[in-house]
Amino acid sequence: MGASLEDAGAATRTRIRRLPELAVRDPAILHAILDAGTVGHVSFVHDGQPYAIPVAYGRSDAAVLFHGSTGSRLFRTLAAGAACSFAVTLLDGFILARSAFETSMRYRSVLVLGTCSVIDDKVPALQAVSEHILPGRWSLVRPPSKKELAQTLVLSLPLEEWSVKVNDGFPDRSDEDEGWDPPVGVIPTYQVRGAFIDGES
Ligand SMILES: Cc1cc2nc3c(=O)[nH]c(=O)nc-3n(C[C@H](O)[C@H](O)[C@H](O)COP(=O)(O)OP(=O)(O)OC[C@H]3O[C@@H](n4cnc5c(N)ncnc54)[C@H](O)[C@@H]3O)c2cc1C
């Protein structure tokens, strides 16, 4: 059994060791970061080689949901019960310090460990993924056919063993920086969606 959602952040494998003061254990923040992202990286080991593969995803209350081809190695490997990790990273800015060593980034990042289950009731999960990425789009488009559903694996990774790290700080200064006086602060970065480009031919 995995840890409960409440104590998941304390699990040994997901204990943040470097800068533990940046660790966040609030499931609401976990959910907010997952909701703000659109692409995650699923990592797994196949024949001794680690792979990190980007995927679109959605979320239910207690799991990350993603889908792919029944022919995909990633999805076949995960459906067979391989251990995986799932990472989402949101870049929030560049932290400009006086030293190269302290120059850093603002970010919100999530790591989830576990094994996936195959979802048999595919349509609601596919709808959740679609609504996560393009809210309102599902009701406008043709739903998946039986044949398309048969070609699709939908997986669920439980939000049981996870960690969240958030750096929203400013640069640190050390005595060794004396005499170095570049501009110091933060350059924020934002994710924006541009205006729709008509693609009808
Ligand atoms: C955009 C971005 C850029 C970064 N750049 C660097 C860099 O250039 N150099 C560098 O050393 N570090 C960088 N980090 C931080 C890096 O992700 C690790 O947190 C860091 O290397 C310390 O790892 P550790 O040895 O404490 O963790 P490990 O011992 O490797 O991991 C232990 C556990 O901590 C948790 N964990 C570790 N890091 C994260 C994280 N970021 N988010 C959520 N959970 C986490 C995981 O559950 C993991 O299983 C960056 C992070 C982000 C998001």
Side-chain angles (χ1 to χ4, degrees):
M1 276 291 283
S4 73
L5 200 59
E6 286 69 30
D7 64 9
T12 309
R13 293 199 304 179
T14 47
R15 187 167 52 79
I16 290 175
R17 294 171 176 83
R18 283 270 306 123
L19 304 176
E21 65 278 15
L22 303 184
V24 175
R25 300 208 171 143
D26 180 350
I29 308 274
L30 166 76
H31 292 167
I33 296 171
L34 290 174
D35 291 350
T38 44
V39 175
H41 285 80
V42 185
S43 300
F44 64 103
V45 175
H46 189 248
D47 285 345
Q49 171 65 48
Y51 296 88
I53 309 279
V55 292
Y57 69 91
R59 175 178 82 77
S60 66
D61 279 350
V64 173
L65 308 170
F66 39 92
H67 73 289
S69 164
T70 48
S72 143
R73 178 188 62 177
L74 166 67
F75 281 83
R76 282 189 279 121
T77 304
L78 297 183
C84 72
S85 72
F86 177 78
V88 171
T89 306
L90 306 175
L91 178 65
D92 291 329
F94 300 103
I95 301 178
L96 277 56
R98 284 185 172 73
S99 66
F101 188 81
E102 291 294 346
T103 298
S104 179
M105 290 178 182
R106 281 187 170 186
Y107 57 79
R108 291 164 286 159
S109 59
V110 164
L111 194 95
V112 184
L113 303 181
T115 54
C116 296
S117 323
V118 176
I119 296 186
D120 295 324
D121 192 9
K122 298 178 188 179
V123 173
L126 291 171
Q127 182 172 359
V129 174
S130 175
E131 286 300 310
H132 174 75
I133 297 164
L134 291 167
R137 187 69 183 165
W138 185 262
S139 62
L140 302 177
V141 298
R142 176 177 63 77
S145 66
K146 273 191 179 159
K147 188 177 164 208
E148 288 166 339
L149 287 174
Q151 293 168 351
T152 304
L153 267 172
V154 189
L155 300 179
S156 160
L157 177 64
L159 290 170
E160 289 176 346
E161 193 177 357
W162 53 268
S163 57
V164 168
K165 196 169 177 182
V166 174
N167 187 352
D168 56 3
F170 284 93
D172 289 334
R173 179 176 198 159
S174 88
D175 294 342
E176 294 170 77
D177 297 340
E178 207 55 52
W180 294 94
D181 210 15
V184 164
V186 169
I187 300 174
T189 58
Y190 304 99
Q191 267 194 97
V192 286
R193 293 189 181 211
F196 176 68
I197 302 169
D198 196 334
E200 198 66 73
S201 51

